[in-house]
């Protein structure tokens, strides 16, 4: 063939390929196209620790296998207690990241108002997340109609963890269903040799868990929502009623001396139950499931489980406190394509099932629910059947939430009606300047 004929053949071939290529392109999904073009460093601001961090790294490994041109660098924020201060410090010091792990709706708004975040409505449509993640989860990650957060796991915060052998030792045949039944287990557990029936981690923030579920069970979701927005004052009688129910538990001998309650965070109190066999009940989030499985090497459903917060019979027992962890993408990140693909991977069956196997729930409908153990099944059923309220402390402005937790520490030291009035008045004073 002459050079002229070869050239003509190449032109014809390019023309034919152009026509055939349109059919090929139609057969390829936009996701696969995106995957081919993703490369470079993805920077993630990460404050998780322990076995939860191990879970995060396991899913990151799966993502990198799908996108071999990407590398991940973590900006690790090491904190005790609330991580928001550490995240602020990292960002204000000049760290430029692509993805932020977040669990506080109030903090998401703070970051969005500061121009730190970019919305993900276009990504939601392009990746088809609406086919896997329900509108309610999208709404949870939205601010004034714009979507910023993609929830990757959620948890029941009105579930109480326990070790099965403890109840058996005390002659308790099944977990208590009502508040009175719950209080009645305290002397039985004490007589069985346990130091304190209820583990209260009062060092930083986890002592607020009891008040927040009690507020829901005594006053309902509407009241909790109004309190979070400061549409009712902290001195409202409904708020005092919830704290006095908390006082009833303390006065019934639940928890030991105040200095012991104030000495430990949630993980130390978990150790008291599941390792030291000294205490019995812990009200904390679903990350406890991961810790029980991986740190304590316990078998879910055999060694330990979860029961839902006891019914109080005040008309609001169909309520639960919930939390969620989400990914936010930044407005100044250097690799937005990789950030968007990273979020997309977390909606996949591959990632969702890693979550399920390690004791976490995923909002993705791609999850194989048969992988959930007994405790997670109790939790997901409760969430599905309840009127839900996001964790109150995570909805409050940063300066107010600090005051709220400090005042609840003062309440633990003196759970009387007069001190409850003092505590709530102090929180209300702070709230007056926080909104």
């Amino acid at each position: 063939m002459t050079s002229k004929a070869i050239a003509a053949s190449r032109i014809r071939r390019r023309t034919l390929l152009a026509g055939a290529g349109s059919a090929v392109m139609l057969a390829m999904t936009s996701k696969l196209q995106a995957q081919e073009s993703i490369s470079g460093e993805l920077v993630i601001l990460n404050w998780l620790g322990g076995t939860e961090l191990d879970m995060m790294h396991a899913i990151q490994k799966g993502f990198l296998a799908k996108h071999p041109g990407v590398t991940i660098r973590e900006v690790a924020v090491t904190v005790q207690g609330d991580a928001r201060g550490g995240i602020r410090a990292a960002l204000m010091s000049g760290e430029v990241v692509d993805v932020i792990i977040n669990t506080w709706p109030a903090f998401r708004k703070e970051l969005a108002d500061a121009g730190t975040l970019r919305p993900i409505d276009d990504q939601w449509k392009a990746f088809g997340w609406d086919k896997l993640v329900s509108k309610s989860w999208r709404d949870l990650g939205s601010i004034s109609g714009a979507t910023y957060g993609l929830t990757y796991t959620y948890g029941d915060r009105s579930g109480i963890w326990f070790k099965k052998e403890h109840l058996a030792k005390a002659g308790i045949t099944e977990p208590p269903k009502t508040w009175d039944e719950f209080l009645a287990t305290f002397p039985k557990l004490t007589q069985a040799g346990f130091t304190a029936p209820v583990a209260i981690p009062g060092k930083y923030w986890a002592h607020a868990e009891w008040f927040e579920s009690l507020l829901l069970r005594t006053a309902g979701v509407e009241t909790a929502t109004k309190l979070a927005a400061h549409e009712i004052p902290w001195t409202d009688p409904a708020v005092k009623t919830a704290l006095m129910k908390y006082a009833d538990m303390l006065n019934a001998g639940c928890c030991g001396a105040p200095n012991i309650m104030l000495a430990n965070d949630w993980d130390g109190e978990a150790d008291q139950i599941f390792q030291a066999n000294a205490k019995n009940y812990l009200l904390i989030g679903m990350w406890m499931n991961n810790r029980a499985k991986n740190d304590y090497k316990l078998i879910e459903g055999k060694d330990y489980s979860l029961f839902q917060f006891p019914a109080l019979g005040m008309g609001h027992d169909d309520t639960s406190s919930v939390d969620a962890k989400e990914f936010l993408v930044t407005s100044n990140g250097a690799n937005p394509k990789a950030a968007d693909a990273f979020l997309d991977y977390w909606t996949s069956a591959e990632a969702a099932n890693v979550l399920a196997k390690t004791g976490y729930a995923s909002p993705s409908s791609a999850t194989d629910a048969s992988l959930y153990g007994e405790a997670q099944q109790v939790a997901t059923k409760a969430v599905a059947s309840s009127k839900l309220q996001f964790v109150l402390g995570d909805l409050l402005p940063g300066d107010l939430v600090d005051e709220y937790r400090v005042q609840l520490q003062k309440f633990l030291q003196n759970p009387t009606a007069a001190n409850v009035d003092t505590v709530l008045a102090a929180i209300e004073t702070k709230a007056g300047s926080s909104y």
Side-chain angles (χ1 to χ4, degrees):
M1 186 179 291
T2 67
S3 59
K4 185 175 180 180
I6 291 171
S9 175
R10 284 176 177 168
I11 290 170
R12 286 195 300 273
R13 184 169 181 269
R14 284 198 296 268
T15 303
L16 289 170
L17 286 174
S22 61
V24 174
M25 293 297 287
L26 287 173
M28 295 174 64
T29 66
S30 59
K31 274 187 188 181
L32 289 175
Q33 290 174 339
Q35 287 174 1
E36 291 173 357
S37 63
I38 293 168
S39 61
E41 183 180 69
L42 176 66
V43 185
I44 302 174
L45 198 157
N46 190 353
W47 46 272
L48 304 178
T51 51
E52 189 171 11
L53 180 61
D54 294 339
M55 174 274 293
M56 177 62 64
H57 287 164
I59 296 182
Q60 287 180 7
K61 183 178 179 181
F63 169 75
L64 293 175
K66 297 280 187 183
H67 302 278
V70 177
T71 59
I72 290 178
R73 177 170 68 87
E74 287 190 337
V75 175
V77 175
T78 303
V79 297
Q80 284 189 315
D82 197 313
R84 281 176 279 189
I87 297 172
R88 285 191 199 96
L91 295 175
M92 291 174 69
S93 71
E95 290 283 3
V96 177
V97 303
D98 298 294
V99 176
I100 298 172
I101 299 172
N102 181 56
T103 192
W104 309 272
F107 191 46
R108 182 204 313 130
K109 186 175 187 306
E110 177 185 326
L111 294 173
D113 289 347
T116 304
L117 307 180
R118 58 183 171 91
I120 55 174
D121 294 285
D122 290 344
Q123 291 87 334
W124 207 284
K125 182 178 180 180
F127 285 105
W129 292 337
D130 57 319
K131 296 179 178 65
L132 294 171
V133 182
S134 71
K135 184 178 182 298
S136 60
W137 289 115
R138 182 172 183 175
D139 291 344
L140 185 68
S142 299
I143 303 170
S144 302
T147 313
Y148 287 93
L150 176 69
T151 298
Y152 70 85
T153 191
Y154 67 92
D156 174 19
R157 292 286 279 270
S158 291
I160 299 174
W161 299 91
F162 69 101
K163 202 168 181 180
K164 290 193 171 185
E165 67 180 47
H166 291 180
L167 300 194
K169 184 178 178 181
I172 302 167
T173 56
E174 60 180 5
K177 293 182 173 60
T178 69
W179 187 248
D180 288 341
E181 289 175 359
F182 179 60
L183 299 186
T185 66
F186 296 173
K188 295 178 181 178
L189 290 163
T190 303
Q191 290 164 14
F194 297 104
T195 303
V198 178
I200 298 285
K203 189 173 183 179
Y204 298 113
W205 56 270
H207 55 301
E209 301 286 292
W210 289 94
F211 164 72
E212 294 182 11
S213 280
L214 283 167
L215 180 65
L216 290 176
R217 293 301 174 95
T218 57
V221 167
E222 296 79 7
T223 298
T225 300
K226 289 178 180 178
L227 183 63
H230 204 216
E231 293 173 4
I232 60 172
W234 283 82
T235 51
D236 190 277
V239 185
K240 182 173 181 177
T241 296
L243 263 187
M244 290 310 298
K245 281 291 183 183
Y246 199 165
D248 288 347
M249 186 177 82
L250 293 165
N251 293 328
C254 67
C255 309
N259 64 315
I260 294 175
M261 288 185 271
L262 296 172
N264 252 340
D265 199 5
W266 74 270
D267 49 354
E269 288 301 289
D271 291 347
Q272 286 295 301
I273 295 173
F274 297 103
Q275 287 187 317
N277 293 310
K279 300 182 182 182
N280 310 110
Y281 301 128
L282 180 64
L283 179 64
I284 206 67
M286 295 305 296
W287 58 86
M288 182 63 243
N289 203 23
N290 182 277
R291 186 178 182 87
K293 286 172 177 283
N294 295 289
D295 286 7
Y296 304 141
K297 308 302 181 185
L298 299 176
I299 299 174
E300 182 180 359
K302 177 179 179 291
D303 298 321
Y304 72 96
S305 195
L306 180 84
F307 65 91
Q308 200 61 8
F309 202 90
L312 272 74
M314 298 178 67
H316 304 288
D317 290 324
D318 59 343
T319 58
S320 291
S321 176
V322 294
D323 66 359
K325 286 191 173 73
E326 64 184 7
F327 294 116
L328 308 172
V329 290
T330 62
S331 57
N332 66 341
N335 201 343
K337 279 189 176 181
D340 294 344
F342 182 71
L343 268 59
D344 179 56
Y345 180 70
W346 281 78
T347 69
S348 69
E350 188 173 306
N353 291 338
V354 171
L355 280 163
K357 289 174 184 177
T358 52
Y360 292 95
S362 169
S364 174
S365 61
T367 309
D368 179 359
S370 69
L371 297 174
Y372 290 147
E374 178 182 293
Q376 190 60 261
Q377 289 175 15
V378 171
T380 52
K381 181 180 178 181
V383 169
S385 62
S386 295
K387 295 176 183 176
L388 304 177
Q389 171 67 19
F390 210 87
V391 174
L392 177 62
D394 292 349
L395 296 172
L396 301 179
D399 54 348
L400 176 57
V401 77
D402 292 340
E403 184 69 20
Y404 160 64
R405 291 165 177 166
V406 167
Q407 291 300 326
L408 287 186
Q409 289 171 332
K410 294 180 179 180
F411 159 77
L412 291 179
Q413 298 172 69
N414 182 17
T416 62
N419 193 44
V420 166
D421 289 336
T422 301
V423 161
L424 294 179
I427 302 173
E428 175 58 26
T429 298
K430 189 65 176 181
S433 61
S434 298
Y435 289 85

